[in-house]
Amino acid sequence: MEFRPCIDIHNGKVKQIVGGSLKDQGDRALENFVSEQDAAFYARLYQSAGIRGGHIILLNGADSPHYEATRQQAFKALAAYPGGLQVGGGIHGGNAREYLDAGAAQVIVTSYVFHDGRVDCDRLEEMAKAVGRERLVLDLSCRKIEGQYRIVTDRWQKATREVLTASLLDRLAGYCCEFLVHGVDVEGKSGGIDQGLAALLGEWGRLPVTYAGGVHSYEDLRLLKKLGHDILHVTVGSALDLFGGDMEWERVLEICKEKG
């Protein structure tokens, strides 16, 4: 298991929010933490620790008056740690190359490759050709609806008809190098991981997968290592001391490296 840090940017600030609370209207969200540091500070911190594969997420829509400030924060982080971070949030075929040229190791795509609630294969192939499979990460963040993990798009506000299953992962694996999956029902609540989702992802294991959502204790980390067969990677947000929580990030790194 690898620790994959995050830099979530909303309204031009590095924040930790309750994932399901995000609303484009009025650019509102329930905030767990608003940092006094900029995104470049966290990028340099992760670089100094030798951590790669963390993700920058832009949480404002392109039509938001705060979008440009959020985007500039992302560019500052990429410049501070070139080749070390992934970036997602509003990525599409027309702007993906700009982020890669600015220093992103990979781009993370969700909404653009869905249309009418389904995977749009034409757009998926377009993205894979535009940036290369090895530089494309697919975000399959989901929430449990009627007993199924339904993928959600548009900053987790719209549920698609696609259900996260091993067969869907198999189908999409040929287009990307990794998956990022937020358990949106538990994201930002520091109330424990989504064990069913972690087990599903851990059983699959064909490509690297980063799980995010609900980690709030070292016991949660060890449970995730068990359910994920120590192959899932993990993001810790609100519970981390870097973002006002109680979990020491150096200790998180140690536990992720522990051998079972």
Side-chain angles (χ1 to χ4, degrees):
M1 175 190 282
E2 295 179 9
F3 174 57
R4 296 291 186 86
C6 60
I7 304 174
D8 295 343
I9 309 171
H10 183 241
N11 295 354
K13 299 283 188 180
V14 176
K15 295 183 182 180
Q16 285 294 309
I17 68 169
V18 178
S21 73
L22 188 63
K23 303 294 181 187
D24 281 348
Q25 186 176 8
D27 292 303
R28 292 177 290 115
L30 293 177
E31 299 171 346
N32 288 325
F33 178 82
V34 181
S35 180
E36 296 180 358
Q37 305 288 348
D38 67 2
F41 167 85
Y42 292 97
R44 288 190 292 267
L45 185 66
Y46 302 150
Q47 183 183 42
S48 69
I51 304 169
R52 302 182 65 85
H55 50 272
I56 304 165
I57 301 295
L58 289 72
L59 292 174
N60 290 103
D63 57 351
S64 164
H66 301 284
Y67 177 69
E68 190 56 32
T70 291
R71 212 167 74 99
Q72 290 307 314
Q73 281 292 315
F75 285 131
K76 286 180 180 180
L78 294 174
Y81 190 7
L85 297 166
Q86 304 168 356
V87 62
I91 305 292
H92 53 74
N95 65 8
R97 179 54 56 183
E98 182 180 12
Y99 289 101
L100 294 174
D101 291 345
Q106 286 90 22
V107 290
I108 305 167
V109 178
T110 310
S111 305
Y112 185 69
V113 298
F114 288 85
H115 181 70
D116 245 1
R118 296 290 189 191
V119 173
D120 186 322
C121 292
D122 290 339
R123 286 188 173 187
L124 190 56
E125 289 177 6
E126 173 199 332
M127 284 301 310
K129 288 178 181 177
V131 304
R133 176 180 177 269
E134 71 284 355
R135 303 195 76 179
L136 179 61
V137 176
L138 292 180
D139 183 338
L140 301 181
S141 296
C142 57
R143 18 188 9 152
K144 205 164 192 180
I145 300 173
E146 298 178 347
Q148 297 179 312
Y149 289 108
R150 295 255 299 275
I151 295 170
V152 291
T153 64
D154 298 274
R155 292 162 299 284
W156 309 324
Q157 295 170 88
K158 294 182 181 178
T160 72
R161 288 178 284 170
E162 297 286 1
V163 178
L164 186 62
T165 61
S167 60
L168 180 67
L169 292 168
D170 286 340
R171 181 155 62 99
L172 299 179
Y175 297 96
C176 64
C177 62
E178 293 188 21
F179 293 109
L180 171 63
V181 182
H182 293 79
V184 177
D185 292 321
V186 296
E187 172 72 20
K189 297 181 179 178
S190 295
I193 65 173
D194 187 322
Q195 297 187 36
L197 179 58
L200 186 161
L201 296 172
E203 288 295 331
W204 184 70
R206 282 185 51 196
L207 288 180
V209 179
T210 297
Y211 169 90
V215 176
H216 79 305
S217 68
Y218 304 124
E219 290 73 24
D220 278 340
L221 275 182
R222 293 191 173 97
L223 178 58
L224 187 64
K225 283 174 75 75
K226 179 180 178 181
L227 293 172
H229 303 288
D230 208 19
I231 60 172
L232 281 185
H233 304 320
V234 63
T235 293
V236 183
S238 301
L240 208 63
D241 59 356
L242 295 177
F243 304 119
D246 296 325
M247 296 179 70
E248 298 175 3
W249 81 292
E250 293 91 344
R251 181 68 180 132
V252 169
L253 287 176
E254 291 172 1
I255 291 174
C256 287
K257 294 175 182 176
E258 287 177 358
K259 300 300 180 183

